[in-house]
Amino acid sequence: QVQLVESGGGSVQAGGSLKLSCAASGRTFSVYAMAWFRQAPGKERDFVAAVTWSGGTAYYTDSVKGRFTISRDNAKNMVYLQMNSLKPEDTAVYYCAADRTLSLVPAVGPQDYDYWGQGTQVTVSS
């Protein structure tokens, strides 16, 4: 089992920055990739970014490229999402997730992830 806890959400003005953190515990050695998803009210849960646990290779959805940076600290069992130039459409509950399935690249579908955090709210005002 892997436990994930997100933190760092809050309310910011458009153009501002926020850094989310996800603390992992349990059988983290079995994790292939960590990812961030987000879900706005009435919307589906969408992929934001992922990073491979071993190599640290990052992947992003097009809408956040150049603005968000995902990173991980294996020694601390932490994954981060640095969000810059935030837009109102970034408003959502952000979730971190862990995938145990070995693959060439991380999955982008939430159904492919095995463990989830409780979520942290990010609100961007105009």
Side-chain angles (χ1 to χ4, degrees):
Q1 297 286 343
V2 176
Q3 294 79 45
L4 305 173
V5 179
E6 305 98 330
S7 62
S11 182
V12 297
Q13 296 271 22
S17 297
L18 206 59
K19 187 175 183 178
L20 306 183
S21 299
C22 177
S25 61
R27 296 171 59 86
T28 57
F29 58 84
S30 68
V31 171
Y32 161 65
M34 299 288 292
W36 289 95
F37 288 78
R38 64 188 181 187
Q39 187 168 22
K43 303 293 182 65
E44 65 183 2
R45 189 169 297 188
D46 289 329
F47 175 82
V48 177
V51 62
T52 58
W53 194 248
S54 179
T57 304
Y59 304 84
Y60 303 92
T61 192
D62 286 345
S63 63
V64 308
K65 287 181 179 177
R67 300 190 297 123
F68 291 10
T69 302
I70 188 171
S71 61
R72 90 277 189 261
D73 187 331
N74 298 60
K76 297 180 179 179
N77 286 325
M78 297 286 292
V79 62
Y80 307 95
L81 186 68
Q82 177 66 53
M83 304 184 293
N84 300 323
S85 301
L86 283 162
K87 304 174 180 179
E89 51 262 45
D90 295 319
T91 295
V93 176
Y94 283 69
Y95 299 88
C96 65
D99 183 8
R100 296 186 301 169
T101 303
L102 181 64
S103 184
L104 184 62
V105 296
V108 298
Q111 70 276 7
D112 296 310
Y113 285 79
D114 303 291
Y115 303 102
W116 294 86
Q118 83 288 350
T120 186
Q121 177 71 47
V122 172
T123 301
V124 185
S125 60
S126 61

